[in-house]
Amino acid sequence: MYYSQFLSRVCMPHAVLLQPKESWNSSKSNDEIIVGHCTKVPRNSNLEKLRSGYLFPEISRHESEHLQKNPDASLIRLGIGDTTQPIPDTITLAMAEQVRGLSTIQGYRGYGAEQGNMALRKAIAGKFYQDMGIKANEIFVSDGAQCDISRLQMLLGSNVTVAVQDPSFPAYIDSSVVVGQAGELEEETGKYGNIIYMNCGPENDFFPDLSTIPRTDIIFLCSPNNPTGHAASWQQLKQLVEFAEANGSIIVHDSAYAAYIRDGSPRSIFAIPGAKEVAIEISSFSKFAGFTGVRLGWTVVPEELLYSNGFPVIKDFNRIVCTCFNGASNIAQAGGLACLSTDGYHDLCKVIDYYMENAKILVDGFTSLGWKVYGGKNAPYIWVHFPGMSSWNVFAEILKKTNIVTVPGRGFGPAGEEYIRVSAFGQRQNILEAIRRLNSFL
Amino acid sequence: MSLMNNLSTSMISSSSSTFLAPTSFNSRTQSVSVPLKNINIVKCVATPQEQQNAYKTKVSRNANIAKLQAGYLFPEVARRRAAHLLKYPNAQVISLGIGDTTEPIPDVITSAMSKRSHALSTLEGYSGYGAEQGEKALRAALASTFYRNLGIEDDDIFVSDGAKCDISRLQVVFGSSVTMAVQDPSYPAYVDSSVIMGQTGQFQKDVEKYGNIEYMRCTPENGFFPDLSKVARTDIIFFCSPNNPTGAAATREQLTRLVKFAKDNGSIIVYDSAYAMYMSDDNPRSIFEIPGAKEVAIETSSFSKYAGFTGVRLGWTVVPKQLLFSDGFPVAKDFNRIICTCFNGASNIAQAGGLACLSPEGLEAMQEVIGFYKENTKIIVETFNSLGFKVYGGKNAPYVWVHFPGRNSWDVFSEILEKTHIVTTPGSGFGPGGEGFIRVSAFGHRENVLEACRRFEQLYN
């Protein structure tokens, strides 16, 4: 991913000379001057509240800068959680077949249902929600969880209150700011005024102490967690569902890493009785099938989930999907269907095993160096504690000294400070080399 | 409270719904929030009694969405089509409603996508996350194909999964505090996304307009170009040319006036050029052909109607560096932030197809398919002309805008559907300015278009 360097030119010779404001994000724009016609359209004040670029393009940017300074560096990328292993043949064959069909009269497909192909919706229901009472028509196929998070925010609107885990995947907070839910950023704490941050650390087993959490309309929970790797237990999720019931809240449960669970923890919020009345679940083929570039995911909105006036949330979500979206690519959907076939799923589990073997190597590696390591057991992320240190500094040191890209924990929220996230995607030899380099450095 | 009627049924099966060839499987489902009247295809999720006792969260429904009057237009048309099929299971329905492409995608394009698919199974060819803004080669190809010599650079172009999605992302960039103007009639996504974002007031039933939107009437009398002297200033102006649904293509002179209007008012034009390649006349194909446009306009476009990518999903939006908010902040920076936060790039396979589309062979192949649809359009125009109708559009766009003076367009839609089994789109679905018109789209197999015209002749002779 690249961050466009586009403020490099002076425009038309109008008499408007502007000094860029300090608040225009942290990239290299501070010394550029814009000359040109200004429209009279006010900038969206919500976007002004975002202090820097989105986390992962920022990581890319640091990577690029490092490479520019060290062109011969052999970079090992354990930063952005980008899958690296090829997609199994069964699946790409299905996509190629769909593609070839598009050149024929019988196989040509135009617009698909915005909610997704029914065969795929049924397959998702059958594979992941068997016995949980989730029906195909409650499943909405998308081009990925990141997009769904924003569509959910559009659905919910600016007047709802939101709670997120701290640390958490940055899209929940950023999308909340963009939509106008978040309030002002408090510089000292690094927190947005209207968002409730549910601290998750070793002291509470990386699950929020719900007795300390005030009511919010929406609760974002990711399990297995990005970035901490913690998979919530059945008991923990039950507590959460009860908490939501008691408060009349809606849980948005992100289960993008469910396929990585090894210890029998619940793979869906809907494994918990009562969850259908209080939860939405989002998920993705990205980390499950290596579809990070192919783009496919889904969101489950149960029919039982109702707004305070009794209106079903699913009807409004459907309206959003029909108005703001036009369906996931039919090629990706053909791939998705193959992912859920017996052979496809079997092949994908092997890839996941490969990444989890990487994770084990990383966990063992950091542990043997004397660091406290979390995660890596039910998710492809290792959460390493560097007590008393600034995570951006640790990130920079590691990058400089070992040419390994990680992600500073602070990027996931204030409680991520002192931690580094190391992702377990990568070629085995790179993972092993990374451990070797860390041994000499740390 | 309305019942969960139609969400539990999947009604359309492809085999019964097409005529002469299983063409575009229109699997658009019927999930719209419209109170159903005489459709007996409902399956209730819960009885009214159960629903009264059903658990409710304490989360308030988004009041903006509540302002929407009915389902989005095209699923509504699909719903009526499906209901018609239930009523007449043996009817040979011809779809000239939703603008859905029907002709196969040329080989040169699909072979590139096939190749990319296979490559994803190899170590050398595997790619994960792509740049959210799109693959460099594709951005470069778009710049050189459509914006050569217009001063638009590769990095002004953002590849997407389609114009409809881009429209909503643009609305997210603009936020709820901006005012907007649309043509009347216009593609419904502009208005609907505006309502959802909270830019509008309530729907006013007497005039069929949302409060706070400036509707720029486009009629035969004004050549389907708004009288700008009567248009109030708004922050954003949505303009589509060639136009969906009227087919009108704005001239250089008209667009020059529009750009000046935007300049004088400090407005931003969102120019939808999804049908530019259908232009026959010598009109601008891009707003950026007009001097000064880079400081006042964004352009959005799509591979949907050029390459038959309606299901493959690929489009793009151009945000020039010169386009600035009132405080001097570049719009492109905020658009980029939204792309990075709310989106994760168009499918890499679709992008490989897009690149092939823009090769010399691909462009030629696309021109051929476009030519085919344009021939369809000509046939439809001639039919309605010969039947004595006042017909508009059809020359620069794959849509024919037929006038039925004094008649309610949903009634005409229903009558046509009932009597000829042809699906069209009622003009009022595009805004109050569409009342009295029917949009006939020209996508379809030639035999179907010819048969449809025969049926129109029968009905109206």
Side-chain angles (χ1 to χ4, degrees):
Chain A
M1 294 179 285
Y2 308 97
Y3 189 90
S4 298
Q5 302 293 321
F6 43 63
L7 283 185
S8 57
R9 44 185 49 226
V10 170
C11 310
M12 310 301 252
H14 278 251
V16 181
L17 189 82
L18 304 159
Q19 293 295 337
K21 291 158 97 165
E22 281 307 307
S23 61
W24 295 357
N25 74 50
S26 65
S27 74
K28 303 297 191 191
S29 66
N30 288 339
D31 46 5
E32 285 141 4
I33 293 172
I34 323 297
V35 180
H37 164 85
C38 279
T39 65
K40 294 197 186 108
V41 180
R43 187 183 176 208
N44 183 345
S45 57
N46 292 330
L47 296 183
E48 265 187 282
K49 295 177 179 152
L50 293 168
R51 275 299 177 269
S52 57
Y54 188 58
L55 175 63
F56 303 108
E58 287 296 288
I59 302 298
S60 275
R61 200 170 57 75
H62 283 274
E63 237 183 73
S64 305
E65 280 166 17
H66 179 79
L67 273 171
Q68 267 178 354
K69 289 191 205 125
N70 310 277
D72 295 325
S74 146
L75 217 54
I76 297 180
R77 294 182 169 84
L78 304 180
I80 291 164
D82 196 6
T83 46
T84 55
Q85 298 314 100
I87 297 171
D89 278 327
T90 346
I91 295 155
T92 52
L93 277 167
M95 293 198 286
E97 208 186 303
Q98 170 82 10
V99 165
R100 276 191 291 276
L102 294 172
S103 276
T104 68
I105 293 191
Q106 301 73 24
Y108 179 75
R109 298 285 180 265
Y111 284 119
E114 296 93 336
Q115 304 83 357
N117 296 340
M118 192 39 96
L120 179 57
R121 296 166 85 189
K122 284 187 174 146
I124 292 171
K127 192 80 195 175
F128 299 116
Y129 302 102
Q130 191 87 312
D131 304 327
M132 294 181 202
I134 295 294
K135 304 186 285 294
N137 67 288
E138 292 168 311
I139 296 174
F140 295 79
V141 178
S142 75
D143 61 328
Q146 181 147 304
C147 318
D148 275 343
I149 287 162
S150 282
R151 279 188 282 267
L152 281 170
Q153 295 287 35
M154 282 190 81
L155 165 77
L156 297 166
S158 56
N159 290 333
V160 297
T161 54
V162 154
V164 297
Q165 289 168 288
D166 184 9
S168 72
F169 181 53
Y172 315 135
I173 291 177
D174 284 20
S175 62
S176 184
V177 175
V178 164
V179 162
Q181 298 160 354
E184 297 297 327
L185 179 67
E186 291 153 8
E187 303 285 356
E188 329 79 56
T189 58
K191 297 184 178 185
Y192 287 92
N194 283 357
I195 296 183
I196 296 298
Y197 291 72
M198 306 185 293
N199 199 283
C200 290
E203 65 286 350
N204 60 11
D205 189 31
F206 294 98
F207 193 82
D209 179 357
L210 296 173
S211 66
T212 64
I213 308 293
R215 181 196 177 277
T216 56
D217 292 307
I218 313 299
I219 306 167
F220 282 94
L221 192 105
C222 178
S223 175
N225 191 260
N226 172 13
T228 69
H230 176 76
S233 67
W234 200 93
Q235 197 48 43
Q236 287 171 331
L237 290 180
K238 182 155 192 316
Q239 251 183 33
L240 181 67
V241 168
E242 284 168 356
F243 180 72
E245 263 164 14
N247 282 343
S249 309
I250 296 178
I251 300 163
V252 175
H253 185 257
D254 186 342
S255 64
Y257 300 95
Y260 288 76
I261 292 178
R262 320 253 103 175
D263 69 357
S265 297
R267 292 184 171 217
S268 165
I269 190 74
F270 302 115
I272 311 299
K276 284 198 299 229
E277 294 171 325
V278 300
I280 288 169
E281 182 158 289
I282 58 182
S283 195
S284 171
F285 282 84
S286 284
K287 308 299 160 68
F288 161 52
F291 268 32
T292 37
V294 175
R295 307 309 316 146
L296 192 70
W298 73 89
T299 290
V300 184
V301 186
E303 286 168 342
E304 292 90 328
L305 187 66
L306 309 176
Y307 286 116
S308 55
N309 67 353
F311 195 85
V313 177
I314 192 175
K315 290 193 101 161
D316 277 354
F317 188 65
N318 186 66
R319 188 44 151 107
I320 294 287
V321 161
C322 288
T323 309
C324 308
F325 185 54
N326 229 332
S329 178
N330 54 20
I331 301 163
Q333 292 194 63
L337 201 56
C339 288
L340 303 180
S341 69
T342 315
D343 285 343
Y345 192 78
H346 172 259
D347 290 343
L348 290 177
C349 285
K350 291 223 217 93
V351 181
I352 290 171
D353 285 343
Y354 181 89
Y355 292 134
M356 287 312 282
E357 184 60 35
N358 284 351
K360 185 169 187 303
I361 292 168
L362 288 165
V363 169
D364 292 344
F366 276 97
T367 307
S368 70
L369 288 168
W371 299 99
K372 210 98 186 83
V373 172
Y374 304 95
K377 303 245 161 58
N378 290 299
Y381 297 121
I382 321 301
W383 191 237
V384 188
H385 195 196
F386 290 85
M389 298 165 80
S390 141
S391 57
W392 275 103
N393 287 347
V394 179
F395 161 84
E397 270 294 285
I398 293 178
L399 181 57
K400 188 161 145 208
K401 299 273 169 66
T402 68
N403 294 312
I404 297 171
V405 188
T406 57
V407 187
R410 182 60 185 81
F412 299 95
E417 193 60 290
E418 295 191 358
Y419 289 85
I420 288 288
R421 188 193 81 175
V422 184
S423 73
F425 301 107
Q427 295 296 307
R428 182 62 47 78
Q429 63 262 30
N430 288 340
I431 303 289
L432 293 167
E433 170 66 16
I435 293 296
R436 272 192 288 274
R437 293 185 194 177
L438 288 163
N439 268 312
S440 13
F441 164 61
L442 292 172
Chain B
M1 171 180 118
S2 55
L3 296 172
M4 297 291 299
N5 301 339
N6 40 18
L7 286 169
S8 312
T9 55
S10 164
M11 299 190 301
I12 306 169
S13 80
S14 58
S15 53
S16 64
S17 64
T18 54
F19 176 55
L20 283 179
T23 59
S24 53
F25 170 72
N26 194 339
S27 60
R28 298 246 126 156
T29 62
Q30 59 298 333
S31 312
V32 294
S33 50
V34 161
L36 296 174
K37 294 168 196 149
N38 302 315
I39 315 293
N40 48 0
I41 44 170
V42 303
K43 176 183 159 199
C44 300
V45 168
T47 65
Q49 181 59 44
E50 279 166 29
Q51 281 180 317
Q52 265 173 42
N53 298 333
Y55 171 86
K56 300 192 255 279
T57 67
K58 292 196 184 103
V59 180
S60 305
R61 186 183 179 207
N62 183 341
N64 292 327
I65 302 180
K67 290 174 184 154
L68 292 167
Q69 293 302 295
Y72 187 60
L73 173 63
F74 301 110
E76 183 56 22
V77 170
R79 204 180 57 78
R80 304 244 184 161
R81 178 181 180 278
H84 183 78
L85 268 168
L86 281 181
K87 207 169 149 194
Y88 303 101
N90 296 318
Q92 307 282 22
V93 171
I94 299 179
S95 295
L96 301 178
I98 293 164
D100 196 6
T101 47
T102 56
E103 299 313 287
I105 298 173
D107 278 328
V108 57
I109 297 161
T110 48
S111 54
M113 294 199 284
S114 211
K115 195 162 159 213
R116 188 66 183 267
S117 302
H118 287 300
L120 292 171
S121 275
T122 68
L123 267 171
E124 317 74 43
Y126 180 77
S127 60
Y129 284 119
E132 295 93 336
Q133 304 83 358
E135 293 179 353
K136 281 197 153 162
L138 179 55
R139 295 168 86 187
L142 286 164
S144 68
T145 304
F146 296 109
Y147 304 102
R148 196 183 291 267
N149 300 325
L150 297 181
I152 295 295
E153 298 178 325
D154 300 359
D155 60 5
D156 292 325
I157 299 178
F158 297 80
V159 179
S160 75
D161 62 326
K164 190 182 191 193
C165 317
D166 275 343
I167 286 161
S168 282
R169 281 189 280 264
L170 282 167
Q171 296 285 36
V172 171
V173 171
F174 296 137
S176 56
S177 302
V178 298
T179 53
M180 64 96 105
V182 289
Q183 290 167 289
D184 179 20
S186 71
Y187 179 55
Y190 315 137
V191 168
D192 285 20
S193 60
S194 183
V195 175
I196 289 169
M197 272 315 295
Q199 296 162 357
T200 78
Q202 293 292 341
F203 187 73
Q204 293 148 6
K205 284 200 155 65
D206 49 343
V207 290
E208 301 213 321
K209 295 180 177 182
Y210 288 93
N212 223 33
I213 295 184
E214 182 73 9
Y215 289 76
M216 306 184 293
R217 188 53 74 101
C218 291
T219 62
E221 291 73 35
N222 61 17
F224 297 101
F225 188 81
D227 180 354
L228 295 174
S229 69
K230 301 222 170 69
V231 176
R233 183 204 172 273
T234 55
D235 293 307
I236 314 297
I237 305 168
F238 280 92
F239 198 89
C240 177
S241 177
N243 190 262
N244 173 10
T246 69
T251 64
R252 188 167 307 268
E253 187 271 327
Q254 288 169 331
L255 291 179
T256 305
R257 276 193 280 136
L258 182 66
V259 167
K260 179 171 195 304
F261 180 71
K263 194 83 169 261
D264 293 343
N265 281 345
S267 309
I268 295 177
I269 299 165
V270 175
Y271 189 80
D272 186 342
S273 64
Y275 300 96
M277 283 181 77
Y278 284 79
M279 191 88 73
S280 285
D281 294 335
D282 185 29
N283 298 313
R285 280 144 173 75
S286 164
I287 189 71
F288 301 115
E289 289 184 41
I290 311 298
K294 289 202 291 278
E295 294 173 324
V296 301
I298 289 168
E299 180 159 302
T300 189
S301 195
S302 171
F303 282 89
S304 283
K305 308 300 160 67
Y306 296 164
F309 268 28
T310 39
V312 173
R313 307 309 316 149
L314 193 69
W316 71 91
T317 289
V318 184
V319 188
K321 300 175 183 64
Q322 296 86 339
L323 187 67
L324 310 175
F325 286 116
S326 57
D327 66 353
F329 195 86
V331 177
K333 283 197 100 154
D334 276 350
F335 188 69
N336 188 67
R337 187 44 151 106
I338 293 298
I339 295 302
C340 290
T341 308
C342 307
F343 185 52
N344 230 330
S347 178
N348 49 18
I349 299 168
Q351 293 194 63
L355 196 57
C357 286
L358 303 180
S359 67
E361 219 191 318
L363 281 167
E364 205 185 304
M366 287 200 299
Q367 292 286 14
E368 229 185 280
V369 180
I370 289 169
F372 174 86
Y373 291 132
K374 284 176 75 67
E375 185 60 36
N376 282 353
T377 320
K378 193 159 171 283
I379 293 167
I380 295 169
V381 168
E382 277 165 6
T383 301
F384 278 98
N385 266 331
S386 72
L387 290 167
F389 285 95
K390 267 250 162 340
V391 173
Y392 304 95
K395 211 163 165 237
N396 296 299
Y399 297 121
V400 183
W401 192 235
V402 187
H403 198 195
F404 287 81
R407 294 202 58 192
N408 175 290
S409 56
W410 275 107
D411 287 345
V412 179
F413 165 89
S414 298
E415 182 185 70
I416 292 175
L417 183 56
E418 184 69 28
K419 299 204 173 137
T420 68
H421 306 304
I422 298 172
V423 186
T424 56
T425 312
S428 62
F430 300 96
E435 189 57 282
F437 289 87
I438 287 286
R439 187 193 80 173
V440 184
S441 73
F443 301 107
H445 292 339
R446 183 61 50 79
E447 320 82 72
N448 289 343
V449 173
L450 291 168
E451 171 62 18
C453 288
R454 275 192 284 274
R455 296 183 195 177
F456 284 130
E457 274 159 7
Q458 256 194 314
L459 178 64
Y460 290 115
N461 248 327

